Amino acid sequence: MPYSWITLPAQQHDAGAQPNTPAAAKLHLWPHQSLRPKGYARFLWVTAALITLPLLPLLGTFALWALLPFLLLALFGLKWALDRNRRDAQILEVLSLDANEARLIHRDAKGAEQSWHCNRYWVSVELHASDGPLPNYVTLRGGGREVEIGAFLSEEERKALYQELTRVFSTP
């Protein structure tokens, strides 16, 4: 799953916290990226090799020089598209929970941040099965606002996220 819970170390908890106080934790969410850097490099090298194979019989002819710019343009266009896709997927959402407050920070691909915070007691987690912009759209409501969380996740991942958030926010 492209999200993970990170529980804060015990020394960061309040020293005078009650035993039934909710645990402090952080949830990091990011879009799924199916092409890892190693696979990215392999894909470009294999594509370059496959593009050059049909050129081998044309060595020493004018046709090679006539086709070469278009094939290089296709290869660099593919690289540009993959790089652009990777840049656009650099989204990060961080949900920080402490004993009293819930804070959500959404950092988009360009680095701009949006934040929301609310008293943890008043946060309600909602799943909009069909009336949201996406199926199984998850939102957090509190502090007079409703914010989306994990909109870039798949439908199944949003369902699992909803169940986890419901469990976390329902603990006393």
Side-chain angles (χ1 to χ4, degrees):
M1 291 255 198
Y3 66 86
S4 65
W5 285 98
I6 302 169
T7 304
L8 299 178
Q11 65 265 24
Q12 291 185 1
H13 290 261
D14 281 337
Q18 301 295 330
N20 63 354
T21 302
K26 279 191 178 182
L27 172 67
H28 288 217
L29 299 105
W30 60 90
H32 179 73
Q33 295 185 6
S34 59
L35 191 59
R36 303 277 180 229
K38 192 174 185 179
Y40 167 83
R42 282 185 187 160
F43 179 75
L44 286 178
W45 279 110
V46 168
T47 304
L50 291 175
I51 283 178
T52 57
L53 280 178
L55 294 179
L56 292 178
L58 301 177
L59 286 176
T61 65
F62 177 75
L64 171 76
W65 296 106
L67 291 176
L68 193 61
F70 297 105
L71 297 175
L72 289 174
L73 183 65
L75 186 63
F76 284 111
L78 181 63
K79 182 188 179 325
W80 177 85
L82 290 172
D83 289 344
R84 174 72 190 262
N85 184 12
R86 184 173 297 280
R87 272 193 315 272
D88 289 348
Q90 297 302 315
I91 299 171
L92 178 66
E93 289 184 352
V94 179
L95 177 64
S96 304
L97 305 173
D98 62 18
N100 299 319
E101 186 178 62
R103 176 176 300 275
L104 178 66
I105 297 174
H106 174 88
R107 187 172 300 120
D108 68 10
K110 294 179 183 176
E113 284 189 0
Q114 296 174 328
S115 66
W116 166 85
H117 63 91
C118 176
N119 185 322
R120 183 174 176 166
Y121 178 77
W122 298 108
V123 174
S124 66
V125 183
E126 298 182 15
L127 178 70
H128 305 277
S130 60
D131 58 339
L134 304 165
N136 296 313
Y137 187 65
V138 181
T139 61
L140 300 175
R141 182 185 296 264
R145 288 178 54 199
E146 185 174 16
V147 293
E148 69 180 20
I149 184 167
F152 45 79
L153 299 174
S154 71
E155 188 173 347
E156 294 78 27
E157 291 166 343
R158 287 192 299 271
K159 287 179 187 177
L161 176 65
Y162 170 73
Q163 291 171 354
E164 288 186 39
L165 289 175
T166 302
R167 180 183 47 80
V168 167
F169 282 110
S170 67
T171 56

